[in-house]
Structure formats: C-alpha cells, structure tokens
Amino acid sequence: MNQSWDQHLSGLSLTTVNDSNNLPAVFLCPLSDNSLISLEGAQSRDYLHGQLTCDMNSITNERFLRAAHCDAKGKMWAIINTFMLGDLYLLSGHQAEINASMTQLKKYGVFSKTTILDASEQWLTLGLGGKDAASWLQSH
C-alpha cells in the first residue's frame, strides 16, 4: 500500500477489535494486501472483454463486475473486481494475483490501444463492513 496512506491512517484514532462478535455497526479498514491495475485507452474495454470471464459490455460507472483472469487452458491467475471511473478501467484484487495478471495483461496489451499501469500507489482500497454499512453508504 502507498506509504503516505499508511502514515495518514496511523495518525487516526482507530480502535482494534479482536472479537468479531463485538464489531461496530459500521467500520472501515484498509485492504493493504490489495493491488490495482489501471487500463486506459480506446480499446481497453474490448481488450479486457477478451481477457476476463465477465461481460465487459455490461460494466458501467455505477456497476462493478467480478471476474477471473485465466490462461488459454483455463488456469486461473486471479479473481478480480473490475470497475470504471470515467474512461479508466480498474482491476482490484489480492496483490500476488494482480501481479500475475499484470504480467500477462502487459504481454498481450501491446497489440491493443490501451495503457496498462500498476495503480496501487495512486489509490487506496478500503473495506466497509458492519450490519449498518449498507444504510450508511446509501446516506453518504
């Protein structure tokens, strides 16, 4: 995770909870084992449509998709959350899996009009949870 985020989060007065039965109604936690890949360019959607197991034509700025990234024989490299911000496509997942996908995506991405970058230092991935998380999110 980006070191500046580590410094910012460590400065907050956060509570550590070791008992899952006593979790707060709403909580936020950094997903420090996650990484992000960004794709930008005219053929990014089509390129990802051929690389991932989801229908990239149904992704919108309001709807994310879960996907697997597999090799030609069906061996899975990663399970990925895929989402859009404007014309930017972001792939989020566990660091080791994202690293494996990044290698493969870059190998074949040179044949498409897309720019593939490691976006882990530009973005922070957070997890929102708790029994009231959905209502909190809708009100904010």
Side-chain angles (χ1 to χ4, degrees):
M1 178 172 37
N2 184 317
Q3 295 302 318
S4 65
W5 282 109
D6 276 340
Q7 292 168 0
H8 179 71
L9 291 173
S10 67
L12 299 175
S13 57
L14 301 174
T15 304
T16 301
V17 177
N18 294 321
D19 180 4
S20 63
N21 293 321
N22 293 319
L23 289 174
V26 177
F27 61 90
L28 189 66
C29 59
L31 302 176
S32 55
D33 287 344
N34 273 19
S35 288
L36 290 163
I37 298 171
S38 68
L39 289 93
E40 190 170 25
Q43 294 180 330
S44 294
R45 180 188 300 253
D46 292 337
Y47 178 64
L48 287 173
H49 189 77
Q51 295 292 314
L52 304 177
T53 60
C54 62
D55 179 6
M56 289 300 295
N57 294 318
S58 64
I59 194 171
T60 67
N61 281 305
E62 293 80 32
R63 182 174 185 229
F64 84 99
L65 297 173
R66 301 240 332 137
H69 183 211
C70 303
D71 68 10
K73 294 182 180 181
K75 178 183 174 190
M76 185 175 60
W77 283 309
I79 296 174
I80 297 172
N81 290 315
T82 306
F83 53 100
M84 289 178 65
L85 290 172
D87 293 332
L88 184 69
Y89 293 88
L90 291 162
L91 311 178
S92 172
H94 189 271
Q95 203 170 42
E97 294 177 352
I98 288 293
N99 289 343
S101 283
M102 179 74 147
T103 301
Q104 297 304 315
L105 288 169
K106 281 191 148 202
K107 185 187 300 185
Y108 300 107
V110 297
F111 303 109
S112 295
K113 291 179 184 169
T114 186
T115 302
I116 304 168
L117 300 171
D118 180 347
S120 301
E121 292 296 315
Q122 288 81 34
W123 298 90
L124 173 65
T125 307
L126 298 171
L128 177 69
K131 66 180 179 63
D132 296 338
S135 61
W136 181 89
L137 193 57
Q138 286 192 351
S139 69
H140 290 82

